[in-house]
Amino acid sequence: MAAAVILSMLAVSCTKEGAPRFKGNYTFKTSGTVTVSPAGDESAEPQKLKLLDENGQMDVVVSDKNTGEMIVAMNILGGSVLTFNAVADGKTLTITPFSRQLTIPVTDEGSLLETAYPVASVTVSGYAERYADALMFWIEYEGKYTFQDVEYEIVSSDVSCWAKEN
């Protein structure tokens, strides 16, 4: 009986935490929405816009195992490579805020309901947790873009990224 207790304690103590927990190569898909409103117009009704899905390959590598600092590289299919820093602490991987350009699909009511694609300058933050062989990221976007001479502000976002280890 005592041997079984000792073995179970050893199994629990071997659970990966910090950087080793997140290190790996993954296939990912990011999707979600942003809610936007004309900047400075509190009376305007906010609009929820569905973002274009992004998918591809993701590598998460350790840059400093003592501090838990990591580098995440997302090779977006049909797009570019997005790299950013993150910090692993226990069971959470926290994204170090960074800037990127994000395409926002907007229905252009002035041109027979066609979709326009203005580009927003956004700050990205968020965190990830590992579940079995997958990472789940919760991502927050803050930023602005201009469409038809009106500046819009992202007032909230609901974006997630599911990454399954290869």
Side-chain angles (χ1 to χ4, degrees):
M1 182 69 161
V5 170
I6 290 171
L7 284 175
S8 67
M9 288 174 57
L10 287 173
V12 169
S13 67
C14 291
T15 301
K16 288 183 184 179
E17 289 197 15
R21 179 177 187 82
F22 300 99
K23 179 182 173 187
N25 177 264
Y26 302 85
T27 300
F28 76 90
K29 180 174 183 176
T30 302
S31 60
T33 61
V34 292
T35 302
V36 301
S37 187
D41 185 355
E42 286 80 35
S43 65
E45 184 72 27
Q47 293 179 287
K48 185 180 275 192
L49 305 173
K50 182 176 178 347
L51 296 173
L52 299 172
D53 292 346
E54 295 178 320
N55 54 54
Q57 294 297 306
M58 174 190 296
D59 287 302
V60 182
V61 297
V62 178
S63 62
D64 187 335
K65 67 180 175 179
N66 293 326
T67 62
E69 291 182 39
M70 307 193 80
I71 298 172
V72 179
M74 298 171 74
N75 186 3
I76 301 167
L77 188 64
S80 59
V81 175
L82 178 65
T83 60
F84 57 90
N85 296 318
V87 178
D89 185 17
K91 295 183 178 185
T92 304
L93 180 65
T94 303
I95 297 171
T96 303
F98 67 97
S99 298
R100 74 169 286 197
Q101 301 295 303
L102 181 68
T103 302
I104 309 283
V106 177
T107 301
D108 185 355
E109 295 175 11
S111 65
L112 301 174
L113 297 178
E114 290 187 22
T115 302
Y117 298 95
V119 176
S121 295
V122 298
T123 299
V124 182
S125 60
Y127 67 97
E129 294 177 356
R130 183 169 176 122
Y131 301 94
D133 63 348
L135 299 180
M136 181 68 184
F137 284 84
W138 290 271
I139 301 169
E140 186 73 29
Y141 291 135
E142 293 180 3
K144 297 180 179 183
Y145 67 93
T146 301
F147 178 64
Q148 294 181 339
D149 296 325
V150 176
E151 184 177 66
Y152 289 86
E153 179 178 18
I154 297 172
V155 295
S156 69
S157 61
D158 181 15
V159 180
S160 59
C161 175
W162 180 255
K164 181 158 176 21
E165 193 166 24
N166 295 326

